[in-house]
Structure formats: structure tokens, C-alpha cells
Amino acid sequence: MPKILIVGGGYAGFYTAWKLEKWLRPGEAEVTVVDPLPYMTYQPFLPEVAAGSIEPRHAVVSQRRHLKKTNVVTAKVTRIDHASKTATITPEVGEPWEFEYDVIVVTGGAVSRTFPIPGIAENAVGLKSIEEAVYIRDRVLTNFDKASTLPPGPERERLLTFVVVGGGFAGIEAFAELRSFASALLEYYPQLTFDETHFHLIEAMGRIMPEVSLETSHWVIKHLAQRGAEIHLDTQLSSAVDGKIELSTGETFETDLIVWTAGVMANPAIVRSSDLPVEERGRVLTRADLRVGDEDDFVPDAWAAGDIAAVPDLSGGGVGGYCVPNAQHAVRQGKLMAKNIVAVLRGEEPKEYFHKNLGAVAGLGIGSGVFQSGKLALTGLIAWFAHRGYHGLAMPSWERKFRVFWGWWNNFWLGRDIVSLSAVQQPRASFEEFAARPKPPAAAAPAPAVTSGKPAPKAVKAKAAPAGAKAAEAKADAQPVAAK
């Protein structure tokens, strides 16, 4: 039975395995998914997780629960040798081993792309994983707790200043959701005022959200400005050492939270450790039918999709002629790739991937959003409903859909949960602080001193008093003392 190895369990990998389970006949192939995380993250929900609008576990999909016919391996693929059709799998605990496969599917996704700006590696956080979103939410809540106990001044201002770098869809959604979150928190912190909270978005280009029209992007800027947020266009971040922001415009201020959303790159840990062809931007060279290769030739039994793959955009709307790295493409590519793999196994020809972008939708905080489809643009509440409706229904499995919609419904009546669980980053700290520890062993008694070569004198034992004397002494003690 052919062995299909899927490297990466994100959008493309998860949907490929999910649909292979549906379309493969019993015994037709054995499917294995290898990913260091046991779940798929629905990344469009990360801004809402960071703003406390969605519970973190509701924004992820368990691989073992929903891939019931697939072998799920929680580990890393550290080497792909397609010439010999072997992959090195390295678990977190234990020794690496060689996995022999017949068909490989590379869907390792992307990671945050950063630049060598002083202080970014040490102080910033990305927004590509559920863990990062939870960290951002807890940091905002913890900063409000700290600031409420401080008098007005530089330290309080630093705790209430938040920076997002990158004005694409991910950056704007995170920026707007955090602004909405902070405004809602002020109800519970009477010591703080709206004017004390500062939000800065830094964008090197002259506009934000290139996926929407220029007019719509201007509406977003104006809308956020009315909510007390500041967007710096044509501005570069020069330094962020110790949280001190220095901009190319000369402006400086201090912050305690920097969120980096300025671009992604194909997962280098997978791309650089394989013998598959790679294009100039570091992505796996992929054909329109999702087989690895170029227009003239392909690598047999090798497939790729998602953010790690350079898939030609046949609709003509892609940047540089390739599909942009987003969830919309990754999901559809994963579904088609499953069909194409089954077709090739049965001796049929694969189909080419073609998807014309129908529009873009973004949430800008509770009750506000933006939607763009061609020349049609919607803003405000109706666009916010479109955003939630689209992504809520796009969440894989009805089990996950129900959890997300149920959470939104609860929040509508009960409000967002504002409990910070930052202590989970060091869960044993309190236990260690008060845990009893063994006492150090007692020091040994010093040896007796020896003088002039003579042994030390023996201790003299006191003689016990006769029994009669003891009785008389006790009787005398019992007599009252006479006055003299």
C-alpha cells in the first residue's frame, strides 16, 4: 500500500489529509501527517483571540480528533531526501528515525519574516500562532493591572502604549482589535483614562491593506483615528532596544508591547533541509497542478501547497504571478491536492489550481469591519457581520463552528473574559517558592583533642542519692515556708 507523507499540519496539510480520508478507498493508501504541533490553527481568528473575543482552544482544530484514519506524528521533519524517498523525523523526546514514503506532500507553512532592526528579536512578538495571540492578550491585561497601581508618569504611559508593525490585513486586524479591547477594559479600571492609552501602527509603505481599494483603506485610517489610534505611513522602525521606539521620522516613545506582522516567509527549517527545487524567494517551486516542478517538468511523487509553495496564480491577480500566502488559497489548494493525488494514484491526470479572489473581509473590533469585493465596499456593522459569518462558517468541522459561534453568543450577553493567565508561562513559580526542601546534613562533631600523648580524662559520673534522702528532700519541699 503506498505511503503518503504530509509534512506540516496547517491549512493545506490538514485539508489534504482530511479530504484524502474521504476520497481514498479502503486500503488504497496510508496517510501520515507530521507536525510539531498536534493541532491546526485557524489564523484569521488570532486577532480576536488576542482581543479576548474567542477562547484560544476554539481557534484550533485537533488533528487526532478529526483525522481519524490518518497517522498523526507530533514531531519535526528535519530532512527530506526525495532521491531516496526518505524523511528524517525528529521527535521532541527520543531519537530521530528514517521514514520511507512513496508520495510526499510539503505543506510546512510560513513563519514571521523580520529584518535586522535593533531590539526586535529581543522585544517583539509575532502573530502566527495561538501561543503568541494568548501572550498578547495576557500582556495587555497585565499591563492594565500594573498601570492602575501607578501614579501618572512615564512608567504608566509606557505600560499603556502598544505598537503594531505592518499595515497588511493581519496587522490592521490585530491593531483594531487591540484598540477595541483596550477601550472596553477602561470600564473596569476607573484609575485609567482613554487618553492615557496609546496605539501606534507603523507601515513602511504609503498605504495600508493593499487587498482593498484605496478609498476603503482611507476609511479605515479615518475610522481608527476617530477611535484614538495613530497610523504612521511611509515610516520605518529604526530601533526598538529595551522597548524604546525610534522611527525614521525622528519620533521616539517607549512601549511594553511590540507586535510584528510585517510579512512572512516560507518555513526555512523545511525548505533548506530538502533536495526539492526552490525558487528565488525561498519557496518550493510548484506547478499549477500542485506537483513540485516548473512548467516544463515535474518531480514525480512530490507535491506542495500553501504558504511554503510558489503556486502560479492562473487568475492573474497574484503578486509576481504567484498566489499570495493566505488561508483562502491554502484551504482550496489542500482540497484540490487531495483530489489530484487520488487521481494520479488511479492513473488519471491532475487538475490545475484556479481561484479568483472573490473579495476580502476584515474585523476591526466589536461592531466594526470592512468588506471589499471588486468595486463593492462595505464598512461598519454590516461588514463586521460578514466577517464573522464568513470565518465562522469557514472554520473546519461543525464541532469547531459550534464552539466559535457559541462563544460569540456568550460574549454578546456576558462580555469578554478579562482574566489574565500570564502565570501559565511559568506555572511552577508559586509551587517552587513555597515548596519545602530537605535540610542540609548536620556537620560532623569535631574529634576530641589529645594533649602530650595522654588520653583525655574520663567524665565523672554523679552518684545517685539514696532513696530515703530523696523522700526526705521531697517532704521538705512540700512544707510551707515559715516567716522569720
Side-chain angles (χ1 to χ4, degrees):
M1 185 164 56
K3 292 183 178 180
I4 302 174
L5 173 62
I6 301 176
V7 181
Y11 290 116
F14 177 86
Y15 272 92
T16 299
W18 206 24
K19 296 305 178 181
L20 282 174
E21 288 188 351
K22 178 180 179 181
W23 293 320
L24 283 172
R25 302 188 187 107
E28 191 171 9
E30 176 184 321
V31 182
T32 300
V33 171
V34 181
D35 192 282
L37 298 175
Y39 51 80
M40 183 211 85
T41 303
Y42 191 74
Q43 293 184 6
F45 280 157
L46 292 182
E48 289 201 54
V49 172
S53 295
I54 295 178
E55 283 300 304
R57 285 184 175 85
H58 296 175
V60 299
V61 183
S62 170
Q63 295 169 356
R64 298 183 187 276
R65 179 168 186 171
H66 296 282
L67 300 179
K68 300 178 180 179
K69 301 177 184 178
T70 301
N71 300 321
V72 177
V73 180
T74 305
K76 294 181 180 180
V77 173
T78 53
R79 177 65 187 170
I80 299 173
D81 186 1
H82 192 64
S84 61
K85 289 191 175 181
T86 59
T88 303
I89 298 178
T90 304
E92 187 173 351
V93 178
E95 297 296 323
W97 74 88
E98 299 296 319
F99 183 92
E100 296 183 357
Y101 61 83
D102 297 289
V103 178
I104 192 167
V105 177
V106 182
T107 57
V111 298
S112 296
R113 182 192 62 182
T114 59
F115 305 102
I117 300 173
I120 285 296
E122 295 79 11
N123 298 291
V125 61
L127 193 57
K128 289 288 293 178
S129 68
I130 196 71
E131 293 81 6
E132 290 173 325
V134 172
Y135 171 84
I136 293 170
R137 181 200 65 185
D138 288 345
R139 175 57 71 89
V140 172
L141 290 168
T142 301
N143 282 11
F144 267 74
D145 289 333
K146 292 178 180 178
S148 64
T149 64
L150 294 174
E155 182 59 25
R156 181 156 149 173
E157 184 176 358
R158 178 176 179 272
L159 289 170
L160 297 178
T161 299
F162 308 98
V163 175
V164 176
V165 184
F169 248 65
I172 289 296
E173 284 192 292
F175 185 64
E177 289 286 354
L178 291 177
R179 173 69 270 185
S180 173
F181 187 33
S183 298
L185 285 177
L186 292 172
E187 175 187 353
Y188 308 99
Y189 294 88
Q191 307 90 342
L192 307 177
T193 65
F194 180 87
D195 293 336
E196 290 181 291
T197 60
H198 306 282
F199 282 80
H200 298 269
L201 184 133
I202 303 169
E203 170 54 48
M205 306 297 291
R207 62 163 298 179
I208 61 171
M209 304 176 74
E211 298 88 347
V212 302
S213 67
L214 186 61
E215 182 181 358
T216 303
S217 70
H218 287 165
W219 179 89
V220 173
I221 293 174
K222 181 179 179 181
H223 176 70
L224 290 174
Q226 291 172 347
R227 290 164 53 184
E230 186 174 355
I231 296 179
H232 305 263
L233 297 178
D234 292 317
T235 304
Q236 296 181 357
L237 178 62
S238 302
S239 176
V241 176
D242 296 330
K244 183 178 180 180
I245 300 298
E246 297 181 8
L247 304 180
S248 58
T249 58
E251 185 177 356
T252 64
F253 50 86
E254 293 192 14
T255 180
D256 194 57
L257 178 61
I258 305 170
V259 181
W260 182 275
T261 63
V264 298
M265 63 179 179
N267 191 334
I270 295 175
V271 173
R272 296 172 185 173
S273 60
S274 78
D275 58 353
L276 298 174
V278 178
E279 48 95 60
E280 60 272 10
R281 295 189 62 183
R283 297 172 296 181
V284 177
L285 190 61
T286 310
R287 294 157 51 97
D289 59 11
L290 303 180
R291 288 185 288 191
V292 175
D294 54 25
E295 296 179 358
D296 301 324
D297 199 8
F298 64 89
V299 179
D301 302 321
W303 304 76
D307 295 355
I308 201 171
V311 180
D313 189 345
L314 301 183
S315 70
V319 179
Y322 295 100
C323 295
V324 297
N326 61 22
Q328 192 174 150
H329 283 304
V331 168
R332 287 170 171 80
Q333 289 170 7
K335 293 178 180 179
L336 177 64
M337 186 156 57
K339 289 184 178 180
N340 283 349
I341 291 173
V342 172
V344 172
L345 287 176
R346 297 173 184 173
E348 303 171 3
E349 287 297 318
K351 296 181 179 179
E352 293 186 335
Y353 175 74
F354 179 89
H355 171 67
K356 187 174 182 180
N357 192 356
L358 299 178
V361 61
L364 303 177
I366 301 297
S368 180
V370 59
F371 170 81
Q372 182 83 47
S373 179
K375 295 183 179 180
L376 174 64
L378 301 175
T379 57
L381 182 63
I382 188 172
W384 179 72
F385 278 117
H387 159 75
R388 284 205 161 178
Y390 172 79
H391 285 298
L393 294 175
M395 188 72 176
S397 83
W398 285 105
E399 177 254 342
R400 293 285 101 180
K401 289 179 175 65
F402 180 81
R403 291 182 187 273
V404 170
F405 279 107
W406 184 249
W408 282 334
W409 177 252
N410 287 337
N411 285 351
F412 177 78
W413 297 103
L414 305 176
R416 288 183 272 204
D417 200 323
I418 62 168
V419 175
S420 170
L421 297 179
S422 58
V424 300
Q425 296 161 29
Q426 295 179 329
R428 297 185 64 253
S430 178
F431 180 83
E432 289 181 356
E433 180 181 357
F434 299 104
R437 291 172 171 81
K439 294 182 179 180
V450 178
T451 58
S452 303
K454 297 179 180 180
K458 295 182 178 179
V460 178
K461 293 184 179 180
K463 293 183 178 180
K470 286 186 177 181
E473 182 181 355
K475 184 176 181 181
D477 290 341
Q479 296 298 325
V481 179
K484 294 183 180 179

